[in-house]
Amino acid sequence: MSKAFLIDTTRCTACRGCQLACKEWYELPANKTKQVGTHQNPPDLNANNYKLVRFSEHMDGETITWNFFPDQCRHCEEPPCQGAADTVEEGAVIKDEATGAVIFTDKMKQFSDEDLQYVRESCPYDIPRWDAATKRPGKCIMCIDRVQAGQLPACVQVCPTGTMNFGDRDEMLALAEKRLAQVKKDHPNAMLADPDDVSVIYLLADAPERYHTHVVAEAPAPKSRRQLFASLRPSLTPASKS
């Protein structure tokens, strides 16, 4: 049974415990950054931050409303990044069947800057980031080492409010529907973000655009992702690069 997250943003207080736990587990270096007009820090995802709690502030009349969004790789059911990477080298991006985790392998270190940008642009959620010096890809890998050992992902383990949930996909979908019904009583615009297409399901209390630009998207799911992306980008297929 594949796994899934349920991220209930209605319970998020932006403590950023999940963001820090992820960084600590993978021993990722610090970023040289600063806050500019927001409490969100760093300003965006990067190769040293696989998870970022995004802050979105709105004025509703005379009331300030904060919407918090713990952004990360969605581990798509049909990953567009895998289809794009397959046009360069098959196996550079894999999907672990047991967990559903989408993993960038070391084969991506051989990709050109143009290849990497193509993979990045294929993501409908604007997630992948690269280390400019090492070309190391940086994104959530579902803490697959912990999950395979029977542990929770680091971000879920430390969450103090019940925002982060993790388990078998069918159980998380059922929990998401249950929570959605409860939240709709106070927030009639509440919704689940792309629940059929991703393994990181967000429960939103408001319209997606009030959280972040790339909260929802239409991920392409062709019968053959490799054929689709190859037809769009024939100059960078493996045959033409050999």
Side-chain angles (χ1 to χ4, degrees):
M1 174 64 69
S2 63
K3 304 295 183 179
F5 293 84
L6 169 61
I7 302 181
D8 184 347
T9 65
T10 69
R11 292 179 168 177
C12 182
T13 61
C15 72
R16 288 180 279 203
C18 59
Q19 181 176 314
L20 292 175
C22 176
K23 199 171 182 74
E24 289 181 356
W25 180 255
Y26 291 103
E27 299 181 341
L28 298 171
N31 300 293
K32 185 177 182 181
T33 183
K34 61 181 179 180
Q35 294 171 258
V36 182
T38 176
H39 293 290
Q40 178 180 309
N41 196 32
D44 200 2
L45 290 167
N46 56 72
N48 296 328
N49 276 82
Y50 301 166
K51 193 179 189 82
L52 172 66
V53 179
R54 297 188 183 276
F55 286 59
S56 184
E57 181 179 352
H58 306 276
M59 289 296 299
D60 294 320
E62 297 182 355
T63 302
I64 298 176
T65 300
W66 286 96
N67 290 333
F68 304 126
F69 187 76
D71 201 8
Q72 66 175 83
C73 172
R74 307 300 199 275
H75 299 283
C76 297
E77 291 294 286
E78 294 287 341
C81 60
Q82 184 180 32
D86 279 351
T87 68
V88 183
E89 184 167 354
E90 194 165 359
V93 176
I94 61 174
K95 183 178 176 69
D96 179 63
E97 294 303 323
T99 61
V102 177
I103 309 294
F104 287 6
T105 74
D106 286 344
K107 289 183 178 182
M108 296 198 74
K109 293 180 180 179
Q110 304 170 23
F111 281 28
S112 68
D113 290 342
E114 186 180 10
D115 294 336
L116 293 173
Q117 183 63 19
Y118 183 63
V119 173
R120 173 169 158 69
E121 290 176 352
S122 74
C123 176
Y125 302 104
D126 190 37
I127 294 298
R129 299 294 191 274
W130 322 110
D131 185 308
T134 66
K135 293 187 178 179
R136 175 178 59 84
K139 75 168 196 68
C140 167
I141 61 171
M142 202 185 275
C143 276
I144 191 169
D145 49 347
R146 294 175 59 94
V147 174
Q148 289 175 337
Q151 298 178 301
L152 290 171
C155 60
V156 180
Q157 184 71 50
V158 303
C159 179
T161 63
T163 299
M164 304 293 302
N165 304 268
F166 184 81
D168 289 343
R169 179 175 172 79
D170 57 352
E171 293 178 357
M172 290 299 101
L173 285 169
L175 179 59
E177 292 292 347
K178 179 179 178 180
R179 281 290 299 146
L180 177 62
Q182 295 170 339
V183 171
K184 272 186 170 291
K185 295 176 183 178
D186 296 318
H187 303 279
N189 294 327
M191 61 174 288
L192 301 177
D194 297 344
D196 296 330
D197 300 324
V198 298
S199 295
V200 181
I201 303 161
Y202 289 90
L203 171 56
L204 311 175
D206 208 339
E209 58 269 20
R210 287 173 62 91
Y211 290 82
H212 175 53
T213 306
H214 300 285
V215 171
V216 294
E218 291 185 5
K223 293 182 180 179
S224 172
R225 294 187 305 275
R226 188 178 186 194
Q227 290 178 2
L228 171 72
F229 284 100
S231 69
L232 295 176
R233 193 169 180 252
S235 62
L236 287 177
T237 58
S240 66
K241 295 181 72 175
S242 60

